[in-house]
Amino acid sequence: MELQQAIHTRRAIREFTSEPVDKAVLRRLINAAIQAPSAVNEQAWSFTVVLDQALLGRISSDSKAHLLRTPPPGALSHHLQEILNTPNFDIFYGAPALIVISSTTQSPWAVENCSLAAENLMLAACGEGLGSCWIGFAQAWLATPEGRTALGISAGQLPVAPIIVGHPKSVPPPVPRKEPQIRWIGP
Ligand SMILES: Cc1cc2nc3c(=O)[nH]c(=O)nc-3n(C[C@H](O)[C@H](O)[C@H](O)COP(=O)(O)O)c2cc1C
C-alpha cells in the first residue's frame, strides 16, 4: 500500500471478525514499529502481545473498574462514565490481539518514542489489511501493580500504547479533520 494511502485510510477499528491474526504478521507489525525514530536512538521499547482471550477480558473489566474508581484528571465525561458502566462493554471490542508497547527506560522521551512506534505499527496494520485502535482506556490499569503483574511488565517499564489488532468486520467512514492551525514564519 502506498504511504499516503495508508495515512489517509487508516481508521480506528472497533469491530473485528473472530479470525486470529497470524503470529508472523504480528511480528511484521512489530518490525515496522521498531523502524520508528527514537530519542538518542535508544530504541527503548518492548512489546507484550496478548492473544489470551480470558486475559483480555480480565484487562477490560479491571480497566473499566479502575477508571470509574480513579478517574483521570479532569474527570470522566458523563458519556464515558455511561460507557464504562455498561457491563458487557469490552474496551477491546473483541479484538483477537493486543500489543502493549512499553518504554524500557525512564527516558524523558519515553512516551514520544513509544507513540511513534505505535503509529508505525498502526499504519503497517492498515497496509496488511488489518484494523487497529489505540485503547487509552487500558493505560491506567496496565500501569498499576496488578496490571504489570498480569502482563509481566516490570516496575522499571512504562506501558504507553495498548494497540488492538484484528481483521476488521467493518470500517467506519473517515473522521473529519479540523482545519490545521498553521502559522507561516518567513518568506
Ligand atoms: C492516545 C489515544 C487513546 C485512544 N483511546 C481510545 C479508547 O480507549 N477507545 C477507543 O475506542 N478509541 C480510542 N482511541 C481512538 C480515537 O478515538 C480515534 O483515533 C479518533 O476518534 C480518530 O479516529 P481515526 O483513528 O479513525 O482517525 C484513542 C486514540 C489515541 C491516539
Side-chain angles (χ1 to χ4, degrees), residues 10-14 89 91 93 122 133-139 172-175 177:
R10 180 214 54 79
R11 294 270 69 80
I13 299 298
R14 300 185 177 91
F89 171 66
I91 67 167
Y93 307 103
M122 292 190 285
C133 186
W134 181 315
I135 302 298
F137 276 159
Q139 280 173 248
V175 177
R177 265 25 184 190

Side-chain angles (χ1 to χ4, degrees), residues 26 29-30 32-33 47 99 101 116-126 132 163 165:
L26 291 170
L29 301 187
I30 292 170
F47 300 82
I99 302 177
I101 307 178
L116 287 164
E119 177 68 345
N120 266 19
L121 192 148
M122 292 190 285
L123 289 175
C126 178
S132 68
I163 311 284
V165 178

